[in-house]
mmCIF file of all heavy atoms in Angstrom:
data_model
loop_
_atom_site.group_PDB
_atom_site.id
_atom_site.type_symbol
_atom_site.label_atom_id
_atom_site.label_comp_id
_atom_site.label_asym_id
_atom_site.label_seq_id
_atom_site.Cartn_x
_atom_site.Cartn_y
_atom_site.Cartn_z
ATOM 1 N N MET A 527 7.061 -83.416 -41.867
ATOM 2 C CA MET A 527 7.642 -82.366 -42.678
ATOM 3 C C MET A 527 9.001 -82.799 -43.206
ATOM 4 O O MET A 527 9.828 -83.251 -42.454
ATOM 5 C CB MET A 527 7.857 -81.120 -41.834
ATOM 6 C CG MET A 527 6.676 -80.390 -41.421
ATOM 7 S SD MET A 527 7.308 -78.966 -40.519
ATOM 8 C CE MET A 527 5.841 -78.240 -40.036
ATOM 9 N N GLY A 532 14.859 -85.919 -46.036
ATOM 10 C CA GLY A 532 15.655 -86.248 -44.858
ATOM 11 C C GLY A 532 16.451 -85.126 -44.229
ATOM 12 O O GLY A 532 17.589 -85.335 -43.836
ATOM 13 N N ALA A 533 15.892 -83.933 -44.094
ATOM 14 C CA ALA A 533 16.592 -82.850 -43.404
ATOM 15 C C ALA A 533 16.635 -83.143 -41.913
ATOM 16 O O ALA A 533 15.693 -83.691 -41.348
ATOM 17 C CB ALA A 533 15.899 -81.511 -43.649
ATOM 18 N N LEU A 545 18.773 -76.365 -39.751
ATOM 19 C CA LEU A 545 18.502 -77.644 -40.405
ATOM 20 C C LEU A 545 19.658 -77.947 -41.334
ATOM 21 O O LEU A 545 20.270 -77.030 -41.885
ATOM 22 C CB LEU A 545 17.237 -77.580 -41.267
ATOM 23 C CG LEU A 545 15.883 -77.541 -40.619
ATOM 24 C CD1 LEU A 545 14.803 -77.541 -41.708
ATOM 25 C CD2 LEU A 545 15.670 -78.699 -39.692
ATOM 26 N N SER A 546 19.955 -79.228 -41.522
ATOM 27 C CA SER A 546 20.982 -79.593 -42.498
ATOM 28 C C SER A 546 20.443 -80.668 -43.425
ATOM 29 O O SER A 546 19.514 -81.408 -43.090
ATOM 30 C CB SER A 546 22.243 -80.101 -41.801
ATOM 31 O OG SER A 546 22.021 -81.364 -41.215
ATOM 32 N N ILE A 548 22.112 -83.240 -46.800
ATOM 33 C CA ILE A 548 23.169 -83.615 -47.733
ATOM 34 C C ILE A 548 22.493 -84.010 -49.043
ATOM 35 O O ILE A 548 21.819 -85.037 -49.109
ATOM 36 C CB ILE A 548 24.036 -84.758 -47.188
ATOM 37 C CG1 ILE A 548 24.707 -84.323 -45.876
ATOM 38 C CG2 ILE A 548 25.085 -85.164 -48.232
ATOM 39 C CD1 ILE A 548 25.478 -85.417 -45.165
ATOM 40 N N ASN A 557 23.332 -78.858 -64.826
ATOM 41 C CA ASN A 557 24.727 -78.412 -64.745
ATOM 42 C C ASN A 557 25.557 -79.225 -63.763
ATOM 43 O O ASN A 557 26.737 -78.945 -63.571
ATOM 44 C CB ASN A 557 24.788 -76.935 -64.350
ATOM 45 C CG ASN A 557 24.170 -76.048 -65.390
ATOM 46 O OD1 ASN A 557 24.419 -76.212 -66.577
ATOM 47 N ND2 ASN A 557 23.345 -75.102 -64.965
ATOM 48 N N PHE A 559 24.976 -79.437 -60.460
ATOM 49 C CA PHE A 559 24.891 -78.906 -59.106
ATOM 50 C C PHE A 559 23.510 -79.212 -58.520
ATOM 51 O O PHE A 559 22.668 -79.812 -59.168
ATOM 52 C CB PHE A 559 25.135 -77.391 -59.114
ATOM 53 C CG PHE A 559 26.526 -77.018 -59.520
ATOM 54 C CD1 PHE A 559 26.768 -76.485 -60.773
ATOM 55 C CD2 PHE A 559 27.602 -77.195 -58.660
ATOM 56 C CE1 PHE A 559 28.055 -76.142 -61.167
ATOM 57 C CE2 PHE A 559 28.885 -76.861 -59.033
ATOM 58 C CZ PHE A 559 29.116 -76.334 -60.285
ATOM 59 N N GLY A 614 5.425 -60.716 -34.598
ATOM 60 C CA GLY A 614 4.252 -59.996 -34.132
ATOM 61 C C GLY A 614 3.096 -60.945 -33.891
ATOM 62 O O GLY A 614 3.238 -62.169 -33.975
ATOM 63 N N PHE A 621 14.647 -64.573 -41.540
ATOM 64 C CA PHE A 621 15.780 -64.533 -42.455
ATOM 65 C C PHE A 621 16.527 -65.852 -42.308
ATOM 66 O O PHE A 621 16.806 -66.290 -41.192
ATOM 67 C CB PHE A 621 16.690 -63.355 -42.090
ATOM 68 C CG PHE A 621 17.864 -63.186 -42.995
ATOM 69 C CD1 PHE A 621 17.706 -62.705 -44.278
ATOM 70 C CD2 PHE A 621 19.134 -63.493 -42.554
ATOM 71 C CE1 PHE A 621 18.802 -62.541 -45.126
ATOM 72 C CE2 PHE A 621 20.227 -63.332 -43.380
ATOM 73 C CZ PHE A 621 20.062 -62.859 -44.664
ATOM 74 N N GLU A 627 29.252 -76.750 -45.730
ATOM 75 C CA GLU A 627 29.946 -77.167 -44.508
ATOM 76 C C GLU A 627 31.240 -76.392 -44.277
ATOM 77 O O GLU A 627 31.788 -76.430 -43.178
ATOM 78 C CB GLU A 627 30.173 -78.677 -44.502
ATOM 79 C CG GLU A 627 30.856 -79.230 -45.717
ATOM 80 C CD GLU A 627 30.678 -80.739 -45.832
ATOM 81 O OE1 GLU A 627 30.342 -81.404 -44.841
ATOM 82 O OE2 GLU A 627 30.869 -81.248 -46.936
ATOM 83 N N LEU A 631 28.625 -68.952 -48.043
ATOM 84 C CA LEU A 631 27.223 -68.616 -48.273
ATOM 85 C C LEU A 631 26.768 -69.117 -49.637
ATOM 86 O O LEU A 631 27.346 -68.755 -50.664
ATOM 87 C CB LEU A 631 27.032 -67.101 -48.170
ATOM 88 C CG LEU A 631 25.609 -66.578 -48.261
ATOM 89 C CD1 LEU A 631 24.766 -67.082 -47.091
ATOM 90 C CD2 LEU A 631 25.622 -65.050 -48.282
ATOM 91 N N MET A 636 14.329 -64.635 -47.303
ATOM 92 C CA MET A 636 13.471 -63.931 -46.365
ATOM 93 C C MET A 636 12.051 -64.431 -46.556
ATOM 94 O O MET A 636 11.587 -64.578 -47.691
ATOM 95 C CB MET A 636 13.530 -62.427 -46.645
ATOM 96 C CG MET A 636 12.784 -61.570 -45.651
ATOM 97 S SD MET A 636 13.678 -61.319 -44.111
ATOM 98 C CE MET A 636 14.938 -60.173 -44.608
ATOM 99 N N PHE A 641 0.274 -65.695 -39.467
ATOM 100 C CA PHE A 641 -0.151 -66.667 -38.463
ATOM 101 C C PHE A 641 -1.647 -66.904 -38.552
ATOM 102 O O PHE A 641 -2.442 -65.957 -38.447
ATOM 103 C CB PHE A 641 0.246 -66.211 -37.064
ATOM 104 C CG PHE A 641 1.731 -66.116 -36.868
ATOM 105 C CD1 PHE A 641 2.307 -64.928 -36.487
ATOM 106 C CD2 PHE A 641 2.554 -67.203 -37.092
ATOM 107 C CE1 PHE A 641 3.682 -64.824 -36.300
ATOM 108 C CE2 PHE A 641 3.926 -67.123 -36.921
ATOM 109 C CZ PHE A 641 4.494 -65.932 -36.532
#
Side-chain angles (χ1 to χ4, degrees):
M527 289 182 182
L545 287 182
S546 70
I548 299 174
N557 296 315
F559 294 106
F621 182 73
E627 53 197 342
L631 185 64
M636 186 79 74
F641 296 122

